[in-house]
Structures are given as structure tokens and as C-alpha cells.
Amino acid sequence: MASREETGFNARDHEPAGYRLRTDVTITASVDPQTSRKHYYVKSGETGEVFDLGEEEYFFCVRLDGRVSFAEFRHAFEAHFGAKLTFEKFKSFADDLVGMRVLEYVSGDAFAQAASALIEDILDPEDHDPRATPFRRTLLDPSRFFDALAALGPLGRVLSIAIWPLVAIALAILAHNTGAVLRSFLISSDDISIFIIIPVGLFCVNLIVKIMQGAAAHREGAAIRGLGVIFFFGFFPRFYIEENAIAALDDEPQRRVYATGLKTRLFLWSVFLILWAAFQAGGGFLPEAFVLISHLAFAAFLWNAVPFMKNDGYHWMSLLMGQPQLRERSLLFLRLRAARKPAPPDMTAVDQTCAILYGLACLLYMTAVIILLFAFISVELEGSLGGAGVAIALGLMGLAFAWYLSSRHAAERVRATVRANRPGLGGRKSAASPSKGAVIQLASRPAPARTSPAQMQPRKAVATKMWPRFVWFGAALAFLILMLWPYQYKPGGEFLVLPNDRHQVNARIEGEIAEIFVKEGQWVEKGAPLVRINNWQLERQLAESEAELDRSNAVLQRLIAGAKKEEIALAQSQVASAASRLKYKKTELARNESLLKEGVTTVRAVEQKRAEHAAAISDLNVAKANLAVVKSGATVAELDAARAEVRRLENEVSFRKEDLERTRVFAPAAGAIVTANPDLRGGAYLRTGDLIVEIEDTRTARIEISLAEADLRYIKVGDRVQVKPWGYSNETMIGAVAGIAPAADESKANRYIRVLTELSNADHRLRPQMSGYGKVEGEMMQVWRAYLLFFIRFVEVEVWSWLP
């Protein structure tokens, strides 16, 4: 595009030109009947002189109203007359008209009053932002606050220099702890909803940036009169400051102001990343908050550094290139080319190519941002809320569209109002110059030197500036004494309230809950009944076991008593019968053998008799053995087996009876019932091991403080402990360190040591699982060391680890 030197652009071109027609001037017009040319006559009310003006001079008189800028005037002049107009020629001719008492200079106060009147005409009196919409509202006038911050100019310069070492340290931390940083960020983002993280984080970062920019603008001499909030896309809150005064500065001060915003975001990123590295060993909420803010600050830096939207990076780049309207001109040229209109004659081929590429990049970037933003919001909302999330996403899209329409309407409204308040050709009669081409033929005069607002402020006497030195010296001395003052270091951390004694009462048999005797929160003593369980199968098994025991006892007693007389007589008769039968069989065998010798019988018959004789001998032996057994009684082994069976059945009966006793559950220790709604479980079926109720004794509360492992060396058993529960935040409870865990525990990305203390809790105010924050009164040290321990540890461990 055309360079700054070619276009003659300067910030002063967009400031009010500072000329207007005097109120006592009278303008009349007449037409030459021969040439039909208009003549304009101006009479000065102060001197009474009458001047014959040409059309160019008349154009000056009616167009300059004290509010129009040179850029606007030049655009209208060149469009009307087709002649070029430089600022020097404009200034020279306007000054000549002032010398003729036709125009007058407009003071700053007069212009401010005119601007205020314009604002009051078009906006709500409570909002002085001319672009105010339902999504953009000015909150307050921060000029005094920014003036006070601008007075700390040396501190700002120190911070501007210190930012680069801080960024280098932050990059080193990121290089050595990339995984830990990302892990900590993911953990912190998981703990908090993304729809809370992004608005709150960027809201805070954005506010700090705007405050620093406002202070930088006042330091450069621009007065910021408005600080407000805008809902970007209709729902995303961001702070803004009025930039009209910044645009009135020269290029270099403007670049410094916009660079302040980018540097502030880098400063926040580096400082909070260093704080994360220093505090992450201690765990808790602070490291998560630090890493979250650092990531959000860096994301804000990247968003504002991309020069495809009107943000700090864009303004800084466009001012560096000498093209303050780069984006508008590129998009306008893109529309011209899309409409197949010719390019302006002063644009070279390179300028046209750059304008097309930059305009397309702006459009593509904005389109990608809109698509990705609403796609992400829609997916997150639908995943979290289902159909309601989709409805909310559609509502946010509607808000974005309303924001777009209201922003366009506000811009058109302001332009229309400005046009309506500017004197037109009909307001005062129009004019011609006393000589042809008067405007471009007038002798140019050098423009007066511009004075910045900072240079226009009156200087106070040197004597009045001595007292701040004494104040600063006294403050520095007091600060030094405070830093060297003895201080008791009090490391702390979050704590949980644990009961002094806890018992879980579980079912030891299966069955249905028949009765429940306790309720949640009820205090019970040891041995108090809790529940009764029904088990019919157990009762049947007990009856069967008892019957088996009776039978086994009877068998044992019979073995002990031995055989009866009748049993012995029966055995003897069995022996006699067997002997008689043997005698008979023997006689028959002898007779058959004789008959065989005589040939009367067969061999087969003799063999049969021999078998019967042998069987008779066996029967006699069995009868004799049985008689011996009956007479001998039970053996030791038989008695032992019978007794073992009796003992087994006795144990089984005893176990069944104990099981029946287990159907009634009693409290194993004194305490409060902490199980939720146990009285509503009537009829529930329990299996062995199922939890029935939980009893906790909280007459003494055990406090477990999660203390950073880095603070372990500063405490010992017996140190005084201060705790503040969230439920009793107005009260500090005092205890002592009763014990320190022998091993460190890991929570998320951090490690901590559990420090135990006990507090009397007779009133049961401290309930189990209540939380709060506790501090241990540790070693005595100087104030500076106590408050810089995190940095000392950071240097001693983190920086030391970087050294080869």
C-alpha cells in the first residue's frame, strides 16, 4: 500500500482541526447575470470589513465547525474540487481566514463541550460512550487513577526492562518442566468448569492489561476518559478503554502504549509460571491457580499478537508500517475488487497484492475463530447438559448475531448523528475563491510545533517536590526494618477432620433386616442393639445338627455299655447250633464215603457232602468268633471314632447357635451413627460382609493437615497449631502437633506430609470430613526470609537443577 510519506498520514490528521466560523460573521450570496457564477460575501462583525470569497474559501467557512478533522475535510475537499490539499496549505489558508476575522480557533475546552453535547444527544445520559450498545457500556472515568499510576513511571520502566529476564526464566522453567506444567494445567482445568475458567481468567488478565495500557497512555500524555466492559460475541466479557486519546498521539507513543498491552500479558505469563514453579512443591490451590492464569495470559498474548483483528498486535504493526487504517483499507479494497471496480490510482501492483492477501487472511482468520469457538461451545454444552446444552448454544449464537447487529447499528447511528450535526451546504451559503485555484496557490506557512498534553501541564515549584523524597525515604526505611523483623514462619495447608475412633458394622450372616433400632446421627453406647436379621434356613440347619448330635451320643453310650446277657446267650446258642450241624454233616460225609467204596453212590454226591461239611465247620468258627466279640465289648478305636463324631456335631450345633446370635447386631463401641438413613433399610437383604452402619467417636477430633514436603524441616512434634474450619471461619481453634506421618503422600502433581493434631470436640461441632485450613507455628526467622522462602527454594532446587 502507499507509504506514510506518500499519503501524508499523521495522527494529527484525525484530530479536530480546531477552526470554526465566527458567530458574528454574516455570509451573503449573489449570482453574476452575465457569467451565472456565484459570489459569496462575508462581513466581519468585529471589523465591519466585507470580503469577496471564492468557492474554496466558502467551502472552508461552512465545513469547519471545530469538530471535523483535517482527514475528513481533505476527503470532502478533494471529492468536491478534485484538487490535492496538504496539511500545510490547509493550515496556511485557515490561518489567513482567521486573520481576516472570518474563522476562529476552537479551544480544547470548547471542543470537549461540543463533543459532550453530541454524546448527550445520541446516548443515554448515564453512558458517555458514543458507541454504547446493550453489549458495550462505559463504567467509569478512570483518568485520576491512571494519572496516579502514570506517576510511577520509573517503576514501569524497571518492569519493562525486567520483563525479558523474566520471560527467559519462564522459558527455562517450561523447557525443564513441560510435562509437569501441562499435567498441572490439565488437573486444574479438570477441577473447575471450562465455562468458569475462560471468562474469569481472561476477565482478570484483560482488566490488568487495560489498567497498564491506561497508565501508559497517561504517561505519554493521552487522557483516557472511559473504562467499560464489552460482551464480545454478545456473551464473552472483556474490559476496554477509550482509544480516541491514544489515536491523537504520535506514532511512537502509540506504539509504546499498544506494546504495553502485549508486554503485560507476557509479564503475567512469566511471573505466574515462575510462581507455579516456586509453589508447586507445596501443593494446594495456589499452584493450580498460578499455572491456570499463566496459560490464560499466554493465550491472551497469542490472541492479541495475531494482527488479523483490531487488537494490540494489529495496532502496533499498522503503526510500524505507517498504515493506521490497514485492515479497513484492505477490506475496502477487497470489496472493490469483488465488485469489479478499479483500484485507486495511487496503489501499485505490490500494494494491491498485499491488500488482497491481508484482507483474505483477516476474513479467513475471523471465520475460523467463529466456527471453532461456537463448535467448541456447542460440543461442551451438549456433552455436559444434553438437549438443554444445545438450546443454550443456540441462544449464545443468537446473542452473537444480536451483538453484531447492535454494533453495526451503533456505528451507523454515530456516523449519521455526526453528519446531522455538521453544517451542510444549506446551513450557510456556499462560496468561491477570489482567484482561481486560491487554495493550492496560497503561500504555505510552517505548521506550529505540536505540544503533547504532558508538556502542557504546568510544572510545580522545585520546593514542593522535596517532600515526596522524605516520604519515599521514610517508607524505604520502614520497609527495611519490617523485612529484618523477627517473624514466626507458619507453614500451612488444607486439612480434613477425622474421627478419633471409627467402626464399620458389617453383616456376619445372610438374611433380611427385620428390625432397625437406630437412626442417622444417633449416639449409641457399646453393646446397644442396632438391627435384627431374620434367617429361617439357619434355624432349620440348627435343628438338623442337634438331631444328629443326639443319635451320635446314643451310639457312643451303647459302645461304652457293652453287650447284654441276651446277646451273649444268643451267641452261645448260635455256637451250639453250629456244632450240632457240623456233627451231622460229618456223619453224612462218612456214610457217603462208605457207600462209595461199595459202589452204591457216586463221586459227585461224596464231593457235595464234603462241601457241606466244610461249610458247617466255617459256620461254627463264625459263631464262636461272634460269641467272643459279644463277650469282649467295644474297642478303643471304635470309642474314639464315636466320640469324635459327637464332638464334631457339638461344634456344629454351637456354630449354628452363634449364627443365630449374630442375627442381633450390637454396637462394638460408643459413637455416633454416621451412615446415611439406616432406618430406611428395613426389609433389605444382606449378604455376609455387607455394611450395616458406621459408628464414629468424634468426642476428640483428629485433624490431618496436608503440609508441603518443603516445610517439613521447619516443624516438630509439640508445635502449636492453628486451624480454621470453613464451617467456623470466624473462629481459630488451637491445638498441638501430635504426630507427623513417616512417609510423604502424593496428591495429583504434588507431594505432602500429613501432620496430625487432636482437638477436644465434646460439642460435636467438628464433623468428620469437614475441611479448612491449618497452620503450624514453626521456626523463627526474619520477615524477608519467611516471605521469600518459595523463591529461595526455587533457586536452591529448580535453578540448581539447570546447572550442568
Side-chain angles (χ1 to χ4, degrees):
M1 291 187 179
S3 65
R4 179 181 178 85
E5 289 75 14
E6 292 171 351
T7 58
F9 181 88
N10 194 291
R12 67 186 178 185
D13 298 352
H14 298 271
E15 299 174 4
Y19 298 97
R20 70 179 178 189
L21 187 69
R22 293 173 62 98
T23 57
D24 58 352
V25 168
T26 303
I27 300 179
T28 56
S30 63
V31 179
D32 189 337
Q34 297 180 354
T35 61
S36 300
R37 182 178 180 180
K38 284 188 177 181
H39 290 268
Y40 302 93
Y41 302 96
V42 178
K43 181 179 180 180
S44 171
E46 180 180 351
T47 63
E49 294 180 278
V50 177
F51 302 96
D52 183 8
L53 301 182
E55 189 174 357
E56 290 89 346
E57 291 96 330
Y58 176 74
F59 191 86
F60 267 70
C61 293
V62 297
R63 287 284 181 172
L64 295 177
D65 59 356
R67 290 176 288 186
V68 67
S69 66
F70 168 68
E72 294 174 314
F73 182 85
R74 180 182 61 188
H75 178 74
F77 183 88
E78 293 177 353
H80 187 76
F81 293 102
K84 296 292 183 181
L85 179 64
T86 64
F87 181 81
E88 287 73 18
K89 293 180 179 180
F90 164 80
K91 189 79 169 68
S92 174
F93 192 35
D95 287 341
D96 286 342
L97 291 176
V98 170
M100 296 163 57
R101 299 295 189 272
V102 175
L103 299 181
E104 64 180 356
Y105 295 113
V106 180
S107 65
D109 291 339
F111 174 71
Q113 293 173 2
S116 298
L118 174 61
I119 292 172
E120 291 177 359
D121 289 342
I122 62 176
L123 292 179
D124 185 344
E126 296 181 358
D127 195 337
H128 300 291
D129 181 7
R131 292 176 294 173
T133 69
F135 303 98
R136 176 187 172 103
R137 289 294 174 182
T138 302
L139 301 178
L140 50 89
D141 182 354
S143 55
R144 293 185 179 180
F145 176 63
F146 287 159
D147 282 336
L149 291 180
L152 303 176
L155 179 61
R157 285 190 289 272
V158 170
L159 294 179
S160 180
I161 296 173
I163 185 175
W164 304 117
L166 291 175
V167 170
I169 295 174
L171 289 173
I173 292 173
L174 188 61
H176 283 77
N177 302 275
T178 304
V181 170
L182 294 177
R183 191 162 53 250
S184 183
F185 173 72
L186 293 175
I187 290 171
S188 62
S189 60
D190 287 341
D191 289 343
I192 310 173
S193 171
I194 193 69
F195 296 105
I196 299 176
I197 292 173
I198 294 179
V200 173
L202 291 182
F203 199 83
C204 296
V205 171
N206 179 247
L207 177 60
I208 296 174
V209 169
K210 293 308 175 184
I211 289 175
M212 297 302 296
Q213 272 192 319
H218 276 245
R219 190 166 59 247
E220 298 292 345
I224 304 298
R225 299 296 182 186
L227 171 65
V229 64
I230 182 173
F231 287 88
F232 193 61
F233 282 117
F235 58 87
F236 197 83
R238 297 185 66 188
F239 283 101
Y240 71 90
I241 57 175
E242 285 298 334
E243 298 182 353
N244 294 333
I246 299 176
L249 298 172
D250 289 334
D251 286 2
E252 187 63 27
Q254 282 192 66
R255 287 203 303 271
R256 286 196 292 267
V257 171
Y258 290 119
T260 298
L262 298 174
K263 289 181 178 179
T264 302
R265 295 178 180 93
L266 276 181
F267 179 80
L268 293 174
W269 169 71
S270 57
V271 167
F272 281 103
L273 190 60
I274 293 172
L275 289 175
W276 169 84
F279 280 91
Q280 62 99 12
F285 171 75
L286 285 179
E288 294 182 9
F290 290 153
V291 75
L292 185 62
I293 295 176
S294 70
H295 279 72
L296 293 174
F298 189 70
F301 168 77
L302 294 179
W303 170 263
N304 285 273
V306 175
F308 298 133
M309 295 185 68
K310 297 190 71 174
N311 47 35
D312 295 340
Y314 162 76
H315 289 302
W316 187 87
M317 184 197 72
S318 61
L319 288 168
L320 184 66
M321 297 173 59
Q323 299 288 342
Q325 303 296 322
L326 176 63
R327 189 170 183 270
E328 289 80 357
R329 292 177 180 178
S330 299
L331 294 177
L332 178 60
F333 179 73
L334 208 59
R335 288 199 299 270
L336 289 176
R337 300 305 295 168
R340 300 183 180 276
K341 293 183 179 180
D346 58 344
M347 289 188 69
T348 64
V350 175
D351 291 340
Q352 295 179 29
T353 303
C354 292
I356 292 175
L357 293 177
Y358 181 75
L360 289 175
C362 291
L363 291 177
L364 292 175
Y365 180 76
M366 191 63 185
T367 303
V369 166
I370 293 173
I371 293 175
L372 292 177
L373 176 63
F374 283 99
F376 172 76
I377 291 176
S378 301
V379 171
E380 285 289 327
L381 283 172
E382 193 276 335
S384 302
L385 304 175
V390 175
I392 294 174
L394 292 175
L396 294 179
M397 293 181 185
L399 280 176
F401 186 66
W403 166 76
Y404 171 74
L405 292 180
S406 64
S407 300
R408 289 196 58 180
H409 178 71
E412 292 294 336
R413 179 182 58 187
V414 172
R415 285 194 290 268
T417 306
V418 170
R419 286 193 298 268
N421 282 271
R422 181 185 302 163
L425 294 177
R428 289 188 176 96
K429 312 284 183 185
S430 297
S433 90
S435 59
K436 295 182 180 180
V439 172
I440 53 178
Q441 293 176 1
L442 287 172
S444 62
R445 300 180 184 180
R450 300 182 66 213
T451 304
S452 66
Q455 296 171 333
M456 295 171 62
Q457 297 177 356
R459 295 187 177 182
K460 297 182 179 179
V462 177
T464 62
K465 289 190 175 182
M466 293 299 294
W467 66 268
R469 299 183 181 179
F470 291 103
V471 172
W472 280 105
F473 177 78
L477 182 61
F479 181 76
L480 179 62
I481 295 174
L482 177 63
M483 290 296 101
L484 298 177
W485 200 263
Y487 180 80
Q488 188 168 42
Y489 180 60
K490 298 179 181 179
E494 297 180 353
F495 71 78
L496 282 178
V497 178
L498 302 177
N500 191 45
D501 191 13
R502 173 184 292 168
H503 290 275
Q504 288 187 341
V505 182
N506 300 316
R508 292 185 290 172
I509 62 168
E510 293 186 2
E512 178 184 320
I513 297 179
E515 291 183 88
I516 302 175
F517 306 111
V518 293
K519 294 184 177 181
E520 181 181 1
Q522 179 180 339
W523 183 270
V524 296
E525 298 296 336
K526 182 177 181 179
L530 301 177
V531 298
R532 184 176 66 84
I533 301 173
N534 280 335
N535 194 318
W536 299 275
Q537 185 178 4
L538 184 60
E539 294 175 356
R540 180 183 60 80
Q541 292 172 349
L542 176 59
E544 292 177 352
S545 297
E546 288 177 339
E548 287 290 329
L549 178 60
D550 292 341
R551 188 182 65 81
S552 296
N553 276 323
V555 173
L556 177 61
Q557 293 302 320
R558 182 179 179 182
L559 291 175
I560 293 174
K564 297 183 292 183
K565 292 180 180 180
E566 292 80 1
E567 292 177 339
I568 297 174
L570 176 62
Q572 290 175 344
S573 64
Q574 288 174 348
V575 171
S577 175
S580 176
R581 188 167 51 254
L582 174 62
K583 185 178 179 181
Y584 171 76
K585 294 297 181 182
K586 184 176 181 181
T587 301
E588 277 195 347
L589 176 62
R591 185 173 59 252
N592 278 276
E593 286 178 347
S594 297
L595 292 174
L596 178 63
K597 288 179 180 180
E598 295 176 356
V600 176
T601 186
T602 63
V603 176
R604 179 178 179 83
V606 173
E607 291 297 330
Q608 183 178 359
K609 294 301 180 181
R610 287 175 182 171
E612 291 176 356
H613 179 264
I617 294 172
S618 296
D619 289 342
L620 177 60
N621 291 335
V622 170
K624 289 180 178 179
N626 183 52
L627 177 61
V629 169
V630 170
K631 289 182 176 180
S632 66
T635 63
V636 175
E638 290 174 335
L639 290 174
D640 288 343
R643 290 190 182 100
E645 180 67 15
V646 170
R647 285 195 301 271
R648 183 186 71 80
L649 292 172
E650 285 177 345
N651 289 333
E652 185 174 332
V653 168
S654 176
F655 179 77
R656 301 297 184 191
K657 288 181 178 180
E658 289 178 0
D659 273 352
L660 280 177
E661 292 177 0
R662 292 187 185 101
T663 59
R664 294 183 64 86
V665 182
F666 301 93
I673 305 295
V674 297
T675 304
N677 303 314
D679 54 318
L680 301 181
R681 299 185 63 192
Y685 189 84
L686 299 177
R687 298 189 179 277
T688 303
D690 287 351
L691 178 67
I692 300 176
V693 293
E694 195 170 14
I695 300 175
E696 293 182 348
D697 186 357
T698 57
R699 288 173 291 189
T700 298
R702 182 188 301 177
I703 307 296
E704 187 179 84
I705 304 173
S706 300
L707 202 65
E709 60 177 349
D711 293 323
L712 179 61
R713 58 176 171 169
Y714 301 110
I715 64 170
K716 61 183 181 299
V717 175
D719 284 347
R720 194 166 180 260
V721 176
Q722 300 176 353
V723 296
K724 276 196 171 186
W726 289 109
Y728 302 97
S729 58
N730 61 334
E731 181 178 352
T732 302
M733 301 179 182
I734 306 300
V737 176
I740 301 175
D745 293 335
E746 186 173 0
S747 173
K748 298 179 180 177
N750 306 304
R751 289 182 173 84
Y752 63 91
I753 300 294
R754 291 179 292 110
V755 177
L756 304 178
T757 184
E758 294 181 351
L759 297 177
S760 177
N761 191 34
D763 53 0
H764 304 290
R765 288 193 303 168
L766 295 177
R767 310 294 178 88
Q769 301 305 311
M770 288 180 64
S771 63
Y773 199 86
K775 292 183 178 181
V776 181
E777 296 182 359
E779 291 185 5
M780 295 293 296
M781 59 184 67
Q782 293 175 326
V783 171
W784 70 270
R785 180 176 177 80
Y787 281 90
L788 291 179
L789 265 179
F790 72 93
F791 184 73
I792 294 173
R793 287 194 288 255
F794 171 73
V795 174
E796 291 176 345
V797 179
E798 183 72 23
V799 177
W800 173 79
S801 69
W802 300 347
L803 302 178

